[in-house]
Amino acid sequence: MQVIRAVGREAAAKKYDLLSAMMAHGLAGDKHRQRLVLRLMALITTRYNWQRDELTIGQREIARLWCVDERTVKREMAKLRALGWIEIKQQGARGRVSVLGLNLERILLDTKAEWENIGPDFVTRLTGAAPEPASNVVPLHRAEPVAAEGVWGEAQARLAAEDRALFDAWFAGLAEAGVRDGCLTLFAPTRFHASYVETHLLERLRIAVQRSDGSIVKLRVLGP
């Protein structure tokens, strides 16, 4: 999957690709998801700085744009943060509004299931890979993830659905060690494995776990 960057000659087309992916995802969901996606798209098209990855707008201005009250703005923005679609880059203070950023990789991951609704050319463009030609060769069977059991089992199923190769390489080998005081502890097979996950994949791991159980607010990945 290609990462969308707002630079170069194709920057404008890539922006439209992101908005198209969000549109397809929203249309495939229920009315609540449609409204949430539409509201974020309104912020992106009116106030988002693509080159700096900054969304700087106050709750009052958002409420006016969305035609809602500020309580609704707080609730909807909290949902977008929980999804991992927006992130706080700089916390507001002394009358200044917070500076937000978009997690473009997370948005693309969450909308990937609906890319086919736009067309195979769209899928090819975003994945950067042409469709494989038909073949008579029978592929080797690859075992599916173990049926989800508990919070970690459900999170594993989410991670495998998002990116099976990444799951096989880094998430499949993690074992649950229990949940205590809102913290899920996972054991990795090696110290390097644990360090890599915590350094490079912790955010993706956190989102998958919190979507399975919102009461978990902290993660630890330990090695032997």
Side-chain angles (χ1 to χ4, degrees):
M1 183 174 64
Q2 296 185 345
V3 178
I4 292 178
R5 302 293 185 191
V7 294
R9 292 185 302 173
E10 299 181 356
K14 291 178 179 179
K15 295 173 187 177
Y16 278 113
D17 282 344
L18 176 70
L19 293 172
S20 296
M22 294 174 63
M23 172 197 66
H25 178 71
L27 291 173
D30 58 23
K31 63 180 182 181
H32 304 292
R33 178 52 57 90
Q34 291 176 6
R35 185 167 53 201
L36 184 64
V37 172
L38 176 61
R39 286 171 171 169
L40 179 56
M41 290 176 69
L43 292 179
I44 292 173
T45 55
T46 59
R47 289 291 183 266
Y48 181 58
N49 185 317
W50 289 90
Q51 291 187 333
R52 298 173 61 180
D53 180 30
E54 289 184 357
L55 177 62
T56 308
I57 181 172
Q59 290 184 354
R60 183 177 301 175
E61 289 73 21
I62 296 176
R64 183 171 61 245
L65 175 63
W66 289 355
C67 299
V68 298
D69 57 35
E70 292 187 42
R71 290 177 59 188
T72 300
V73 171
K74 291 181 180 179
R75 184 171 62 248
E76 294 290 84
M77 295 300 281
K79 291 179 183 177
L80 290 169
R81 289 195 301 272
L83 285 172
W85 286 25
I86 62 173
E87 303 168 335
I88 297 178
K89 298 181 66 176
Q90 182 177 335
Q91 187 68 51
R94 297 183 179 179
R96 295 185 177 182
V97 301
S98 297
V99 178
L100 306 175
L102 295 182
N103 188 333
L104 301 183
E105 181 183 10
R106 183 73 251 172
I107 293 174
L108 290 175
L109 280 171
D110 286 345
T111 60
K112 189 175 181 180
E114 289 76 39
W115 293 356
E116 284 284 356
N117 295 349
I118 300 175
D121 59 322
F122 184 83
V123 176
T124 299
R125 190 159 65 247
L126 263 63
T127 58
E132 294 184 0
S135 173
N136 294 326
V137 177
V138 178
L140 293 175
H141 176 71
R142 180 173 60 179
E144 293 301 317
V146 178
E149 294 182 2
V151 175
W152 177 231
E154 186 175 340
Q156 280 188 312
R158 292 178 184 275
L159 293 165
E162 288 177 359
D163 189 326
R164 182 58 192 271
L166 189 68
F167 171 82
D168 288 342
W170 298 104
F171 297 126
L174 300 178
E176 181 178 354
V179 178
R180 183 176 181 180
D181 297 329
C183 177
L184 171 64
T185 300
L186 300 171
F187 278 142
T190 67
R191 187 172 300 177
F192 170 78
H193 194 126
S195 176
Y196 186 91
V197 171
E198 284 214 318
T199 303
H200 301 285
L201 301 172
L202 195 62
E203 180 64 12
R204 182 177 291 198
L205 189 61
R206 181 192 66 79
I207 291 174
V209 169
Q210 288 194 332
R211 289 183 182 182
S212 302
D213 187 341
S215 67
I216 296 178
V217 296
K218 186 177 179 182
L219 288 170
R220 292 194 307 168
V221 183
L222 306 178

